[in-house]
Amino acid sequence: GAVVSQHPSRVICKSGTSVKIECRSLDFQATTMFWYRQFPKQSLMLMATSNEGSKATYEQGVEKDKFLINHASLTLSTLTVTSAHPEDSSFYICSARTPPGYYGYTFGSGTRLTVV
Amino acid sequence: GIQVEQSPPDLILQEGANSTLRCNFSDSVNNLQWFHQNPWGQLINLFYIPSGTKQNGRLSATTVATERYSLLYISSSQTTDSGVYFCAVSAGGTSYGKLTFGQGTILTVHP
């Protein structure tokens, strides 16, 4: 239980194109999801908090027009990297708070984005 | 915001050895988790332990909330234990739900 599914696991795109990453809570409802970014050999940094039915809140320094977040339902949040550039290449991973009966936060399997 | 420091940054062991990883945090927390990140990037939740002691097989963890640190113990290490171990915490208030990660400990277990 408390599984978060993230797709795609790996994507390569051309510079200037947009990429959408999906994060689904499979067996529970997640009114809030979190998006993290991890550069090679570094830790995870919170990018934004996705709230179902309302606007996402972004951490300081994260460009909201570059990283569009949509949380249209209680089980799905999407992150769209718009006009991607090589410096956007990174590992993106989503998270949700676990439902009652579980503890802490559960994470998706991550998406490795490479912009060429 | 809350600061999280992990030590050591790197750890190399022979199979069968024991180890202790440490996580210090700068403020009171309502959530503390230990994760193992495998080579494919997946974060495996090891423990949810904002306070107290827990054990799961060869792994155990202790958090002393009043002194703001947590320890992860790995006994009889195996090569499959290799990877990065992260401590992550969240506090209340405006930081509710936002996990702050430490820089991680890279563990390498040699056969």
Side-chain angles (χ1 to χ4, degrees), chain B residues 33-106:
Chain B
Q33 290 179 254
W34 282 97
F35 296 94
H36 175 212
Q37 188 169 38
N38 66 22
W40 297 273
Q42 174 77 54
L43 281 174
I44 309 299
N45 181 37
L46 299 177
F47 293 103
Y48 167 83
I49 189 165
S51 64
T53 298
K54 291 185 178 180
Q55 180 160 6
N56 184 4
R58 297 183 295 104
L59 303 181
S60 63
T62 295
T63 297
V64 183
T66 54
E67 297 187 21
R68 298 180 183 168
Y69 73 88
S70 183
L71 302 173
L72 177 69
Y73 305 97
I74 304 174
S75 65
S76 304
S77 59
Q78 301 175 358
T79 56
T80 51
D81 294 331
S82 296
V84 185
Y85 289 80
F86 286 107
C87 167
V89 304
S90 67
T94 57
S95 298
Y96 181 77
K98 300 179 180 181
L99 284 177
T100 299
F101 282 76
Q103 289 302 305
T105 293
I106 302 173

Side-chain angles (χ1 to χ4, degrees), chain A residues 102-115:
Chain A
Y102 297 86
Y103 298 95
Y105 296 82
T106 184
F107 284 77
S109 54
T111 298
R112 193 165 303 281
L113 170 64
T114 303
V115 185

Side-chain angles (χ1 to χ4, degrees), chain A residues 53-66:
Chain A
S54 65
K55 290 183 178 180
T57 55
Y58 292 81
E59 295 301 300
Q60 190 172 7
V62 177
E63 300 176 60
K64 59 182 180 182
D65 294 331
K66 156 74 73 178

